[in-house]
Amino acid sequence: MEITTERKGEVLVALTEDRVDGSNAREFQEAVQAAIAGEDAPVVLDMERLVYISSAGLRVILMIARALQGESRNFAVCSLVGPVREVFEISGFDKIIQTHDTQEKAVAAVQG
């Protein structure tokens, strides 16, 4: 699984795509961790191109959020669409992980 990153000012934006489920959750975790390693910038995980996420994927996102919190780095997800948004809302993840409709809003929120 490939995670691409780009800079938006001081914020590191990681872009995901395809799907995250039990079969590739570990690969997803390793790819995100590799993409954000060695940074001290806030992180936004842009999920606009993600079409499906399972509970295994949610667990990975929670682990990443906790690790970043331990490093005093802000974290948010954005651009949740369709079934991914539903999974976040039904599971209550939208209440424990900062979520935003657009990348621009998420970047602004994690900057301060």
Side-chain angles (χ1 to χ4, degrees):
M1 170 168 284
E2 186 174 328
I3 305 292
T4 57
T5 59
E6 61 187 31
R7 285 271 183 193
K8 297 288 182 165
E10 298 176 12
V11 178
L12 182 66
V13 177
L15 298 110
T16 64
E17 57 184 60
D18 200 21
R19 56 186 293 122
V20 180
D21 56 30
S23 69
N24 68 351
R26 180 174 294 243
E27 182 183 351
F28 173 67
Q29 180 178 358
E30 291 169 356
V32 172
Q33 287 174 329
I36 65 176
E39 297 280 344
D40 61 356
V43 175
V44 169
L45 186 60
D46 187 327
M47 302 172 80
E48 182 176 31
R49 295 184 191 146
L50 192 70
V51 296
Y52 176 80
I53 191 165
S54 72
S55 59
L58 290 177
R59 183 181 63 78
V60 169
I61 291 173
L62 183 59
M63 291 171 56
I64 290 166
R66 286 184 177 162
L68 290 170
Q69 182 180 23
E71 297 174 11
S72 298
R73 293 169 65 187
N74 290 334
F75 174 71
V77 297
C78 69
S79 307
L80 305 171
V81 294
V84 176
R85 177 174 290 286
E86 286 180 29
V87 169
F88 263 73
E89 291 172 352
I90 290 169
S91 67
F93 263 63
D94 61 329
K95 305 284 189 270
I96 58 173
I97 295 189
Q98 201 179 145
T99 59
H100 299 277
D101 293 335
T102 66
Q103 187 184 107
E104 292 77 22
K105 289 179 182 177
V107 167
V110 298
Q111 283 181 348

